């Protein structure tokens, strides 16, 4: 990815997630733009770059929220790495399986977070959390991710986002 | 003389020579792996010593600035739409409010009488007088930016007298407390945030407990097995934490489960305030 794209993402990820997506909220559930973006970055760049991008995005989100610093950095770094591996070995931008993977990553991250919180803060209403927050958010993130992928596969958008050497690979 | 790191450790000289090659080959992967370990270590340190506030203010300043810009058109459109909707039903609404106003005036007269009586009795008993705190109305400009916490951003901050750990409420009940303050913005952690705890009391029987955020709802902790807690009970602030004034609605009990092997009950409660519909909130200035 071009470095100014990362700069813009890091600068705007919190305000866009917190304010711009607020009107899209359904019953208090918002799609996770950062995760969808990270997945796309993974497909476009590869595991190393996406892992670093995930860590940076997660760290910014941690600092901007009230969670432990490094918590989302860790989970998002792993998601970026996994998405990068998928992009290199299995999937391309147009594959429909991307949505399933995006939903799975979101769900998996939620489960990991709940597991961590259970470790740090004691028992958690896990089933309630999964059914009322994690699953709906994962599905909604999948929808947003599908829209993002549709946008990204356009050549003009791709040329703005991605370096020339990667464009040739894609 | 035996050379260091030979057969006893299963590593011979050839393998040792290959090590730098392996590191050079997988340099990127190893650095990423070290970063993951570093982040994990950072999290575990915070569990022990509390959350770091590193870089919090600059990040909030930048995000707050953009959140104001982004939320402005949405809030403007919403207020225009709301104004129009209100205009449509004005006459009916007016009639309803008149009736309600009459009832409230009557209640206020009774309350004034009770307050005066209360003050007289407090004076007689030499009790400390209760002074209602000042409040600042603020607009919510951002909600929930991370999956592991529940926070909102308000469009008012230190310039308006807001300080860290001040209580944030609405007419329905407690919202949370102020976490970070900048001149024109403040970040509030909601009741449902795992890092938010407050001292509460069951309104019906004055049973006390500690309410802790669990992302979607809250859990009432340290409630004895024998305590009488029922589904539907209203939890109110006890005032013991020194942040929230006494008697504010906090949450309603939605499930109670007991197990003979445990000393405490598992009580889940739903916040009295619907955070998804939160648009404005009052910050109580101490």
């Amino acid at each position: 990815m071009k470095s100014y794209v990362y700069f813009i993402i890091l600068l705007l990820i919190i305000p866009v997630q917190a304010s711009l997506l607020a009107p899209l909220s359904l019953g208090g559930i918002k799609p996770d733009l950062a995760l969808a973006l990270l997945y796309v970055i993974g497909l476009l760049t590869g595991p190393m770059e996406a892992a670093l991008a995930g860590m940076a995005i997660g760290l910014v989100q941690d600092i901007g929220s009230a969670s432990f610093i490094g918590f989302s950095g860790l989970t998002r770094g792993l998601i970026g790495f996994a998405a990068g591996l998928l992009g290199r070995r299995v999937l391309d931008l147009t594959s429909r399986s991307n949505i399933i993977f995006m939903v799975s990553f979101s769900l998996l991250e939620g489960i990991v977070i709940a597991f961590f919180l259970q470790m740090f803060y004691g028992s958690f209403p896990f089933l309630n959390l999964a059914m009322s927050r994690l699953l709906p958010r994962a599905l909604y993130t999948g929808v947003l991710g599908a829209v993002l992928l549709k946008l990204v596969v356009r050549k003009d958008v791709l040329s703005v986002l991605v370096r020339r050497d990667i464009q040739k690979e894609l | 003389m035996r050379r260091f790191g030979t057969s006893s450790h299963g590593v011979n000289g050839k393998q040792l020579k290959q090590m730098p090659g392996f590191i050079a080959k997988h340099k990127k992967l190893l650095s990423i792996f070290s970063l993951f370990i570093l982040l994990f270590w950072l999290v575990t340190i915070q569990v022990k010593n509390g959350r770091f506030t590193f870089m919090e203010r600059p990040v909030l300043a930048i995000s707050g600035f953009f959140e104001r810009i982004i939320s402005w058109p949405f809030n403007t459109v919403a207020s225009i739409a709301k104004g129009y909707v209100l205009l449509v039903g004005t006459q009916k609404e007016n009639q309803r409010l008149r009736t309600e106003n009459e009832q409230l005036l009557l209640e206020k007269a009774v309350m004034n009488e009770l307050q005066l009586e209360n003050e007289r009795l407090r004076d007689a008993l030499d009790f400390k007088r209760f002074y209602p705190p000042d409040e600042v109305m603020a607009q919510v400009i951002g909600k929930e930016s991370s999956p592991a916490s529940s926070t909102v951003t308000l469009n008012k901050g230190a310039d308006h007298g807001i300080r860290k750990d001040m209580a944030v409420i609405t007419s329905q009940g407690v919202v949370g407390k102020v976490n970070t303050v900048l001149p024109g913005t403040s970040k509030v952690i909601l009741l449902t945030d795992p890092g938010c705890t407050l001292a509460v009391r069951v309104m019906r029987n004055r049973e006390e407990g500690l309410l802790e955020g669990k992302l979607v709802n809250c859990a009432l902790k340290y409630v004895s097995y024998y305590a009488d807690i029922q589904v539907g009970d209203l939890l109110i602030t006890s005032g013991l934490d020194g942040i929230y004034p006494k008697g504010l609605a906090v949450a309603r009990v939605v499930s109670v489960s007991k197990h003979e092997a445990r000393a405490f009950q598992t009580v889940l409660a739903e916040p009295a305030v619907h955070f998804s519909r939160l648009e404005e909130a009052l910050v109580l200035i101490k």
Side-chain angles (χ1 to χ4, degrees), chain B residues 187-281:
Chain B
K187 189 171 72 186
V188 174
I189 55 170
L190 303 177
L191 282 183
T192 48
D193 188 277
C196 186
T197 48
L198 78 152
V200 292
R201 165 175 292 161
V202 178
M203 197 186 183
R204 181 173 53 85
N205 56 11
R206 321 310 280 177
E207 201 73 58
E208 282 179 0
L210 198 67
L211 198 75
E212 198 177 76
K214 297 283 179 193
L215 284 179
V216 274
N217 49 25
C218 307
L220 188 61
K221 298 188 89 179
Y222 311 118
V223 180
S224 151
Y225 178 87
Y226 301 101
D228 171 28
I229 310 278
Q230 291 169 15
V231 172
D233 273 346
L234 182 68
L235 305 176
I236 56 170
T237 49
S238 66
L240 294 175
D241 46 29
I243 295 173
Y244 304 93
K246 213 170 156 182
L248 296 172
V250 179
R252 204 169 276 282
V253 174
V254 286
S255 84
V256 182
S257 59
K258 291 182 181 185
H259 195 278
E260 283 173 4
R262 290 181 191 156
F264 300 116
Q265 301 182 37
T266 309
V267 181
L268 291 179
E270 207 166 71
V273 178
H274 291 279
F275 297 132
S276 57
R277 294 178 221 152
L278 190 67
E279 288 175 19
E280 286 112 15

Side-chain angles (χ1 to χ4, degrees), chain A residues 14-25 30, chain B residues 66-83 139-143 278-280:
Chain A
I14 295 182
V16 170
Q17 177 73 41
S19 299
L20 196 64
L21 292 186
L24 296 180
S25 154
K30 277 191 300 185
Chain B
F66 285 111
E67 277 169 35
R68 276 162 184 275
I69 295 173
I70 293 170
S71 62
W72 181 79
F74 288 107
N75 288 338
T76 312
V77 170
S79 69
I80 291 169
K82 216 185 240 179
Q139 207 166 32
V140 175
I141 53 169
K143 284 179 193 172
L278 190 67
E279 288 175 19
E280 286 112 15

Side-chain angles (χ1 to χ4, degrees), chain A residues 70-148:
Chain A
F71 199 43
S72 305
L74 195 68
T75 56
R76 308 239 132 160
L78 287 170
I79 288 171
F81 190 79
L85 282 180
L86 279 176
R88 279 282 156 88
R89 309 240 164 123
V90 194
L91 299 169
D92 60 44
L93 287 169
T94 51
S95 170
R96 282 189 184 168
S97 313
N98 282 321
I99 299 161
I100 297 167
F101 277 110
M102 228 180 286
V103 172
S104 314
F105 282 155
S106 173
L107 205 56
L108 207 66
E109 190 197 28
I111 292 167
V112 170
I113 287 171
F115 177 73
F116 267 90
L117 292 176
Q118 178 137 353
M119 265 168 54
F120 300 146
Y121 296 109
S123 67
F124 241 76
F126 192 76
L127 193 68
N128 188 8
L129 182 71
M131 297 312 285
S132 62
R133 182 149 159 167
L134 302 183
L135 189 63
R137 196 184 58 203
L139 293 171
Y140 208 172
T141 304
V143 174
L144 181 76
V147 176
L148 262 181

Side-chain angles (χ1 to χ4, degrees), chain B residues 6-256:
Chain B
T6 48
S7 56
S8 66
H9 292 90
V11 181
N12 55 34
K14 198 180 171 188
Q15 279 174 312
L16 272 175
K17 272 182 191 170
Q18 282 172 346
M19 282 300 278
F22 174 83
I23 292 170
K25 196 178 168 190
H26 297 96
K27 206 166 71 184
K28 276 187 179 175
L29 190 70
L30 287 171
S31 8
I32 296 281
F33 187 67
S34 330
L35 280 175
F36 277 127
I37 292 174
L38 186 77
L39 286 176
F40 187 75
W41 176 72
L42 205 68
V43 173
T44 50
I45 285 180
Q46 290 171 88
V47 173
K48 217 175 173 185
N49 304 327
R51 184 181 179 267
F52 294 154
T53 50
F54 170 73
M55 291 283 287
E56 201 173 39
R57 293 174 70 85
V59 168
L60 185 62
I62 296 167
S63 61
F65 171 75
F66 285 111
E67 277 169 35
R68 276 162 184 275
I69 295 173
I70 293 170
S71 62
W72 181 79
F74 288 107
N75 288 338
T76 312
V77 170
S79 69
I80 291 169
K82 216 185 240 179
Y84 177 74
V85 171
L86 283 178
L87 211 65
V88 172
T90 308
Q91 206 182 348
K92 269 188 180 177
E93 184 73 3
N94 208 5
Q95 191 58 45
R96 193 186 62 80
L97 287 172
R98 268 173 203 268
T99 321
E100 201 177 295
N101 194 33
E102 292 293 321
Q103 283 172 346
L104 288 173
L105 282 172
L106 207 72
E107 275 175 32
K108 198 186 167 210
V110 176
M111 292 289 275
N112 281 344
E113 210 37 56
L114 285 171
Q115 195 181 346
L116 287 172
E117 187 186 81
N118 186 289
E119 277 169 17
R120 275 199 308 275
L121 290 170
R122 274 179 177 271
D123 282 343
L125 291 167
D126 209 18
F127 272 19
K128 202 177 150 190
R129 274 180 182 238
F130 172 73
Y131 296 102
D134 287 335
E135 55 209 33
V136 172
M137 174 71 100
Q139 207 166 32
V140 175
I141 53 169
K143 284 179 193 172
E144 214 181 294
S145 56
S146 161
S149 74
S150 308
T151 54
V152 294
T153 316
L154 300 181
N155 70 342
K156 286 185 181 160
D159 286 350
H160 305 88
I162 296 174
R163 301 279 178 272
K164 189 177 162 58
D165 283 341
M166 281 182 171
V168 183
I169 63 164
T170 68
S171 56
Q172 279 104 47
V174 174
V175 172
K177 65 178 176 185
V178 178
N179 190 49
T180 317
V181 193
L182 288 179
T185 320
S186 47
K187 189 171 72 186
V188 174
I189 55 170
L190 303 177
L191 282 183
T192 48
D193 188 277
C196 186
T197 48
L198 78 152
V200 292
R201 165 175 292 161
V202 178
M203 197 186 183
R204 181 173 53 85
N205 56 11
R206 321 310 280 177
E207 201 73 58
E208 282 179 0
L210 198 67
L211 198 75
E212 198 177 76
K214 297 283 179 193
L215 284 179
V216 274
N217 49 25
C218 307
L220 188 61
K221 298 188 89 179
Y222 311 118
V223 180
S224 151
Y225 178 87
Y226 301 101
D228 171 28
I229 310 278
Q230 291 169 15
V231 172
D233 273 346
L234 182 68
L235 305 176
I236 56 170
T237 49
S238 66
L240 294 175
D241 46 29
I243 295 173
Y244 304 93
K246 213 170 156 182
L248 296 172
V250 179
R252 204 169 276 282
V253 174
V254 286
S255 84
V256 182

